[in-house]
Amino acid sequence: MTSPEGRRFRSRDWFADPARSDMTALYLERFMNYGLTPEELRSGRPIIGIAQTGSDLSPCNRIHVELARRVREGIRDAGGIPLEFPVHPIFENCRRPSAALDRNLAYLGLVEILYGYPIDAVVLTTGCDKTTPAGIMAASTVDIPAIVLSGGPMLDGWHEGELVGSGTVIWRSRRMLAAGEIDEEEFLQRACDSAPSAGHCNTMGTASTMNAVAEALGLSLPGCAAIPAPYRERGQMAYATGRRIVEMAHEDLRPSRVLTRESFLNALAVVSCAGGSSNAQVHIQAMARHAGVELHPRDWTDHAYDLPLLVNMQPAGKYLGERFFRAGGVPAVMWELLQAGRLHGDCASVTGRSIAENLQGREARDREVIRPFAEPLMENAGFLVLSGNLFDFGIMKTSVISEAFRARYLCQPGNEGVFTARAIVFDGAEDYHTRINDPALGIDEDCILVMRGAGPLGWPGSAEVVNMQPPDALIQRGIRALPTLGDGRQSGTADSPSILNASPESAAGGGLGWLQTGDLILIDLKQGRCNALVPEEEIARRRREMPPPPVPASRSPWEALYREKTGQLADGATLDFALQFRRIAEQTPRHNH
């Protein structure tokens, strides 16, 4: 039995297998108990999965509980059969010890659903940071037609007439609290005011960044990423996405036809020009590896550092998600890149057209929010990759380097972009919060704060703890930021110019493990180097004689398994054994009875 367009869908192997009528009966009968009919399931129409990431445990994605109805209507109107199912929840703000544990867990669960059930194509609902890469990684492994529907950001937050962006307001208010400018009640009120509606972060944090990445890769309909969750256009996009995935099922338009090295380089460019999150490095690398695409850590410097900052949105800029959407959103940023010759316009997309065709007529409508390529907010505003005797890979987001930070550390005449700082080493976030205000540390503006024990193995999962603020005494003197370095991550909403994702981490034998408070660190942004000024013989002695940094015990079965199977942040923190599995839906799984 085939579809009207002539394609035989994989779900027919469940519901219309003439060689096994007994199994067909078994697969069919229980779907009848809530009202589906055999005629529907045996009609030859595609069965479309809706991967539901929304729940009460995932506030950033909860809008999808409502949006799924519009997706269903689009699927039905286009001739498909919708089947909605839950995905393991991911909530960045609340999951302890780190939501980073859940990306790979959600990936594993989604792979098994898409492979083992009669699903011909899937709508991936996304929002909170890691839901986007988890879905795309799974879609690449299974390789059935897939399209991304993001839930959209919250409405803009306002506090006493001031724009307050989710996440970003926390880090800025934390410094204000330390400076004595606000009290704790004001701190809490500013935070609450930043979240006025359904949706994910209204800043260009990791959530907005990763949904922009999905669109840049060609996996979302144009304009999808930036629509605020409560806007009518979000429901309209859900309906259009439902209709389009049915067409994609008939066209057999799978992720393997969309995801190429060039499409990933497009994503890097969009992240840089948007002032996106440093967490994008981990997730883009993971998605590329699962797609079988060769992407090198140095590609961030080689292909995306020399790009300008175009999007005036917190934390790198001024505005929030609503105005970014009205200015034109991701298509307007990509249009600028295309006009400048910095985008691969011939890449495929889920529309069935090329990226360049999708971008026709998409010039920005608000030049205060999305600047022209030739008149940016900042030149050379992408990401720098660094290496040295402390780590093989670290990444630094340059679009959040403030003028004060640049003047203090990066403007030494004749030696611009190079500075030396004294290390203050902390073993995890608890150690930092306990000791940061200890006068005995002697922390001044010539120090660099170092966080170790925060990577995939050490935390476990890797934590957003590297964006450390100076001690209160320095903040009260007007020094709001010190250089920071760590083997963990930082929130995509943070405005700290940190060296992040250092790999290998201390728990895997990386150089931060032997670093000691008081060591001098030389950072050369021009050469992409970061070295502790410690003699080789002393490093060797420390490796022999010093006990390794403390690592907490695993507290759950998944934490233990995650630590056993997960790689480093430089490589995407993937379950490396899973990379061998690609396009697994090409072979139908064996019968179950």
Side-chain angles (χ1 to χ4, degrees):
M1 188 176 294
T2 57
S3 71
E5 283 75 13
R7 181 171 176 233
R8 187 184 191 281
F9 294 109
R10 70 190 296 264
S11 60
R12 301 308 99 214
D13 291 334
W14 277 260
F15 300 134
D17 184 356
R20 290 298 303 270
S21 59
D22 60 332
M23 296 307 301
T24 292
L26 181 70
Y27 299 139
L28 277 170
E29 63 94 3
R30 206 52 55 94
F31 281 103
M32 304 305 103
N33 74 3
Y34 69 96
L36 284 177
T37 66
E39 289 76 20
E40 289 173 283
L41 296 177
R42 292 168 60 81
S43 66
R45 296 157 64 186
I47 294 177
I48 309 297
I50 303 173
Q52 178 58 272
T53 59
S55 73
D56 290 349
L57 272 180
S58 302
C60 298
N61 288 41
R62 197 182 184 284
I63 190 67
H64 284 299
V65 176
E66 285 77 42
L67 287 177
R69 176 179 58 84
R70 291 296 288 150
V71 177
R72 284 176 172 272
E73 290 167 350
I75 291 169
R76 278 288 180 180
D77 285 355
I81 310 294
L83 291 181
E84 185 178 346
F85 59 85
V87 177
H88 182 84
I90 304 178
F91 179 28
E92 183 65 49
N93 293 37
C94 203
R95 169 67 156 100
R96 298 166 72 172
S98 171
L101 287 165
D102 285 337
R103 187 201 70 184
N104 290 351
L105 186 56
Y107 156 77
L108 285 176
L110 188 52
V111 166
E112 294 304 312
I113 293 170
L114 298 181
Y115 173 62
Y117 285 88
I119 296 172
D120 300 309
V122 64
V123 176
L124 304 169
T125 65
T126 68
C128 190
D129 302 10
K130 295 157 190 68
T131 56
T132 307
I136 294 173
M137 288 155 59
S140 286
T141 296
V142 180
D143 203 31
I144 59 174
I147 192 169
V148 171
L149 173 68
S150 59
M154 296 182 288
L155 300 178
D156 291 358
W158 292 90
H159 177 78
E160 298 181 353
E162 172 194 358
L163 277 172
V164 284
S166 51
T168 301
V169 70
I170 301 291
W171 320 122
R172 293 178 179 176
S173 297
R174 194 170 65 173
R175 296 192 291 266
M176 295 172 69
L177 182 67
E181 298 170 2
I182 60 174
D183 59 20
E184 289 191 4
E185 184 175 345
E186 174 80 358
F187 189 145
L188 293 174
Q189 190 59 53
R190 287 170 61 86
C192 292
D193 287 349
S194 73
S197 75
H200 60 67
C201 285
N202 48 28
T203 48
M204 189 54 73
T206 310
S208 291
T209 300
M210 292 314 302
N211 288 295
V213 164
E215 192 170 324
L217 288 171
L219 291 176
S220 290
L221 293 180
C224 177
I227 304 169
Y231 277 27
R232 67 184 181 193
E233 289 91 341
R234 179 53 66 189
Q236 292 165 347
M237 180 61 71
Y239 177 78
T241 298
R243 290 192 62 95
R244 178 57 192 153
I245 191 59
V246 176
E247 298 168 349
M248 290 173 61
H250 288 296
E251 297 165 10
D252 194 24
L253 181 50
R254 295 174 286 158
S256 58
R257 293 173 55 189
V258 175
L259 297 178
T260 63
R261 174 168 166 78
E262 288 71 27
S263 67
F264 278 101
L265 293 179
N266 284 347
L268 267 58
V270 168
V271 171
S272 292
C273 290
S277 167
S278 56
N279 289 311
Q281 176 268 318
V282 183
H283 300 317
I284 290 175
Q285 190 69 23
M287 292 187 294
R289 296 187 78 196
H290 280 285
V293 172
E294 189 174 7
L295 198 68
H296 308 289
R298 290 287 312 178
D299 285 333
W300 285 93
T301 294
D302 295 344
H303 293 277
Y305 167 66
D306 65 340
L307 288 167
L309 177 64
L310 302 182
V311 177
N312 191 2
M313 186 171 172
Q314 296 181 25
K318 176 180 179 181
Y319 299 106
L320 296 173
E322 283 189 84
R323 191 156 173 187
F324 177 56
F325 166 66
R326 291 197 296 270
V330 176
V333 178
M334 296 179 71
W335 186 90
E336 289 294 331
L337 285 163
L338 186 66
Q339 305 310 306
R342 297 300 300 268
L343 196 78
H344 298 275
D346 57 349
C347 289
S349 76
V350 293
T351 67
R353 301 184 298 274
S354 71
I355 292 293
E357 291 172 312
N358 292 340
L359 296 177
Q360 291 181 16
R362 291 286 191 161
E363 185 174 359
R365 299 184 290 270
D366 181 345
R367 287 305 191 179
E368 190 173 357
V369 179
I370 302 176
R371 302 291 292 271
F373 193 92
E375 301 174 27
L377 292 163
M378 182 189 295
E379 298 282 1
N380 298 326
F383 293 77
L384 278 174
V385 172
L386 298 98
S387 61
N389 62 5
L390 291 171
F391 50 81
D392 297 332
F393 171 88
I395 195 165
M396 184 178 190
K397 177 179 175 178
T398 66
S399 62
V400 291
I401 296 176
S402 68
E403 288 303 318
F405 187 95
R406 190 179 299 277
R408 184 177 297 117
Y409 299 106
L410 303 176
C411 290
Q412 181 180 350
N415 213 21
E416 290 81 1
V418 181
F419 67 97
T420 302
R422 179 169 57 91
I424 308 294
V425 182
F426 299 100
D427 286 311
E430 297 83 0
D431 184 32
Y432 161 76
H433 286 292
T434 299
R435 294 196 299 130
I436 183 60
N437 287 311
D438 184 351
L441 291 175
I443 301 174
D444 58 26
E445 54 265 53
D446 294 321
C447 291
I448 180 169
L449 306 180
V450 180
M451 176 74 71
R452 66 186 177 197
L457 305 181
W459 193 260
S462 80
E464 296 184 339
V465 292
V466 180
N467 49 308
M468 297 169 282
Q469 70 181 34
D472 294 355
L474 280 189
I475 292 176
Q476 290 161 10
R477 285 174 42 202
I479 298 172
R480 297 299 178 101
L482 290 176
T484 53
L485 160 66
D487 55 13
R489 301 173 295 113
Q490 76 177 22
S491 170
T493 64
D495 53 4
S496 170
S498 305
I499 301 172
L500 304 156
N501 308 356
S503 305
E505 62 182 299
S506 61
L512 294 186
W514 54 256
L515 188 70
Q516 294 182 337
T517 291
D519 290 341
L520 293 180
I521 298 177
L522 176 65
I523 297 169
D524 185 341
L525 298 186
K526 294 185 296 184
Q527 300 297 321
R529 300 295 293 171
C530 176
N531 286 296
L533 302 180
V534 178
E536 288 293 332
E537 57 272 19
E538 172 62 11
I539 295 173
R541 185 195 67 79
R542 293 182 188 181
R543 286 190 179 277
R544 287 193 312 270
E545 300 177 7
M546 285 176 53
V551 174
S554 295
R555 299 295 183 181
S556 73
W558 172 240
E559 285 187 16
L561 186 59
Y562 179 96
R563 278 175 155 151
E564 179 184 336
K565 300 295 185 181
T566 300
Q568 293 290 288
L569 293 174
D571 298 321
T574 54
L575 299 168
D576 291 345
F577 75 90
L579 299 174
Q580 65 183 299
F581 297 98
R582 297 198 186 103
R583 305 184 184 183
I584 63 176
E586 292 179 352
Q587 183 174 345
T588 305
R590 64 196 304 188
H591 288 298
N592 59 15
H593 283 74

